[in-house]
Amino acid sequence: MRLLTLFAAALCGTAAVAQEVPIIVKGAGGRFETQLDAKTVVPGFPGDKIRQFRRSSDALIAMLEAMPEVNAPPAPFCNRLKSWIEILPLHGVLGAEIGVMNPINFSGGKCHRMTATGVIFRLNSLSLLLDPQEALMRAGEGEGNWWLVRDAEIANRRIIEIRDAVAFTHGRAPLLIPVSTGRYLRRQIAIEYEGSTVRHQLEARLADLDPTERAAPACLLRTTGALVRDCRAADTVMELNPAYFDKSRPEAVQLLVVETPPSAGHGETADRFAARKAIWNALDHNKFAAMVN
């Protein structure tokens, strides 16, 4: 997640690209600021598509900027509304990250340049819903990221909640699909050493499956991680549906994921946490769902 990475870099005293975007004081006695990416060029995408995408991301920014919880933070706290248009977007469609972030203090009439946590919005990326760093199996061997998902039925919902994130989907196709048992075993076999005992066991198990069993969802028992046929007490191995994103419409917001930590972070006081949660609680889910198409 680019904004989170850049914020972490800033906290470490490292120069970050986002810090080159001008900070503009907008109100609340200097305690509400914006730092918005004005990028108009993204390699591989025509200018008209970028302008259309920006209109959607700008609409989300305007929605957030109009919220009293954002533009009028309780003293002495600051809010900084930030954005970043992805230079190398995923999935063949344009992407962006927007955040209402909390500068670490307000001193001398100014908000500190460094920010702590906040409320993050990701356009056209799974990375806040299912972090690649937390994948059961990371992309490789010709396959994408695979995750374990407790409730496989969420894949068909327009609004999906997983842990600390909420995803708003277009509903034309499921966001996630199960990985078949056959594919799961073949990938497990591929990462084992040639001739190893484990590889022989996996190959034998795959050979014993009939076509229906190979096509069934791969489910891992929650207690041991063992591959099982009964998914009711297991987690399902799932992946991003390769048909979810319509690459002929790169300018469209086809997925919106929102996240904030559910509890106070390191050094986050109760009052600061309450101000952040007030933003989260005031978010209009219906308006977010209407932005996704």
Side-chain angles (χ1 to χ4, degrees), residues 14-271:
T14 303
V17 174
Q19 293 294 352
E20 297 174 2
V21 178
I23 295 173
I24 299 174
V25 175
K26 299 299 290 284
R31 293 182 295 103
F32 173 55
E33 305 173 331
T34 60
Q35 190 177 17
L36 305 177
D37 183 10
K39 188 183 294 96
T40 59
V41 176
V42 178
F45 294 91
D48 63 324
K49 299 296 185 182
I50 299 168
R51 286 190 292 273
Q52 290 177 58
F53 179 75
R54 286 196 62 92
R55 283 196 287 271
S56 296
S57 61
D58 288 347
L60 174 56
I61 290 168
M63 187 187 306
L64 296 171
E65 190 170 357
M67 293 172 57
E69 295 82 5
V70 174
N71 63 41
F77 308 127
C78 292
N79 281 335
R80 184 176 300 143
L81 179 57
K82 307 184 73 159
S83 71
W84 179 262
I85 304 295
E86 294 290 355
I87 299 173
L88 300 172
L90 300 172
H91 315 307
V93 295
L94 289 158
E97 192 165 314
I98 297 166
V100 182
M101 307 308 296
N102 308 132
I104 60 176
N105 62 43
F106 181 70
S107 178
K110 293 183 179 180
C111 302
H112 203 289
R113 290 186 67 85
M114 297 180 186
T115 58
T117 188
V119 180
I120 310 287
F121 302 77
R122 198 76 166 82
L123 282 63
N124 291 340
S125 175
L126 275 177
S127 64
L128 295 179
L129 185 71
L130 293 169
D131 189 339
Q133 302 296 326
E134 298 177 359
L136 170 71
M137 300 189 76
R138 301 278 297 278
E141 304 294 338
E143 298 280 6
N145 293 308
W146 292 356
W147 293 271
L148 279 177
V149 176
R150 178 62 54 95
D151 179 9
E153 293 301 317
I154 66 173
N156 295 308
R157 297 174 189 164
R158 287 293 307 276
I159 300 177
I160 297 173
E161 296 187 42
I162 297 180
R163 296 189 303 274
D164 310 334
V166 182
F168 301 86
T169 76
H170 57 54
R172 294 187 301 277
L175 179 64
L176 305 170
I177 57 174
V179 173
S180 71
T181 297
R183 284 179 64 206
Y184 175 77
L185 286 172
R186 286 193 293 272
R187 193 165 178 183
Q188 290 289 86
I189 289 167
I191 63 176
E192 292 293 335
Y193 291 112
E194 187 76 36
S196 72
T197 300
V198 173
R199 181 165 181 148
H200 283 314
Q201 292 171 341
L202 292 169
E203 290 171 336
R205 182 163 189 179
L206 179 61
D208 286 341
L209 298 178
D210 62 35
T212 300
E213 292 170 328
R214 292 189 183 200
C219 297
L220 304 187
L221 199 63
R222 292 168 189 161
T223 53
T224 64
L227 181 66
V228 294
R229 296 180 183 179
D230 185 354
C231 293
R232 288 173 296 180
D235 293 336
T236 305
V237 182
M238 304 195 81
E239 64 180 336
L240 172 66
N241 181 359
Y244 179 81
F245 286 104
D246 181 356
K247 296 180 182 180
S248 71
R249 302 168 59 242
E251 76 285 358
V253 177
Q254 302 182 41
L255 177 66
L256 173 61
V257 184
V258 191
E259 179 188 59
T260 197
S263 57
H266 178 71
E268 188 176 25
T269 65
D271 288 345

